[in-house]
Amino acid sequence: QVQLVESGGGLVQAGGSLRLSCTASTRTWRTTVMGWFRQAPGKEREFVALSDWSGEHTNNANSVKGRFTMSGDNAKNTMYLQMSSLKPEDTAVYYCAAGSTLSNKERDYHYWGQGTQVTVSS
């Protein structure tokens, strides 16, 4: 069983930056793709970004393009989500997920972290 542990959430002012981390307990063929999703209060969970561990294949939601970037540290089994130019509408619980398909669909991810809160004040 793969466990994902997120960290790095917090409170930041609009225009600021945060970096989220997601560390996998182990890596298998079912964790070749890492994704980030988020869920704002009263809304459904939505796709944010994905990347394979090489960084060769990535995809970002339109709402975060140019502001959020994923990168990985293979030695640490850790994937990062660097968030810049944050907006109040980025406020949500952010979830890390691992899967084996380059997909923006929740159903394609096999493992999920517990979530970390990101709050952006105006």
Side-chain angles (χ1 to χ4, degrees), residues 30 32-37 46-52 57-61 70 95-112:
R30 289 166 64 87
T32 53
V33 175
M34 301 297 289
W36 288 95
F37 292 77
E46 64 176 5
F47 167 75
V48 175
L50 66 83
S51 177
D52 61 10
H57 300 97
T58 64
N59 188 24
N60 284 10
M70 285 185 70
Y95 296 90
C96 170
S100 50
T101 305
L102 292 168
S103 171
N104 61 2
K105 301 293 190 293
E106 291 183 52
R107 63 174 180 265
D108 291 325
Y109 288 83
H110 310 302
Y111 306 103
W112 291 83

Side-chain angles (χ1 to χ4, degrees), residues 8-110:
L11 174 64
V12 64
Q13 289 188 332
S17 299
L18 275 177
R19 188 179 76 164
L20 305 184
S21 300
C22 175
T23 299
S25 59
T26 187
R27 284 168 57 182
T28 72
W29 67 271
R30 289 166 64 87
T31 64
T32 53
V33 175
M34 301 297 289
W36 288 95
F37 292 77
R38 67 185 181 186
Q39 186 168 22
K43 294 188 177 181
E44 293 186 352
R45 191 154 56 183
E46 64 176 5
F47 167 75
V48 175
L50 66 83
S51 177
D52 61 10
W53 284 96
S54 70
E56 182 177 353
H57 300 97
T58 64
N59 188 24
N60 284 10
N62 288 334
S63 59
V64 306
K65 279 183 179 177
R67 301 189 299 123
F68 291 12
T69 303
M70 285 185 70
S71 62
D73 185 331
N74 287 279
K76 296 181 179 180
N77 284 356
T78 298
M79 191 67 78
Y80 303 101
L81 180 68
Q82 178 67 49
M83 306 185 294
S84 303
S85 302
L86 283 162
K87 306 175 182 179
E89 51 264 44
D90 294 318
T91 295
V93 177
Y94 283 71
Y95 296 90
C96 170
S100 50
T101 305
L102 292 168
S103 171
N104 61 2
K105 301 293 190 293
E106 291 183 52
R107 63 174 180 265
D108 291 325
Y109 288 83
H110 310 302

Side-chain angles (χ1 to χ4, degrees), residues 2 49 97:
V2 176

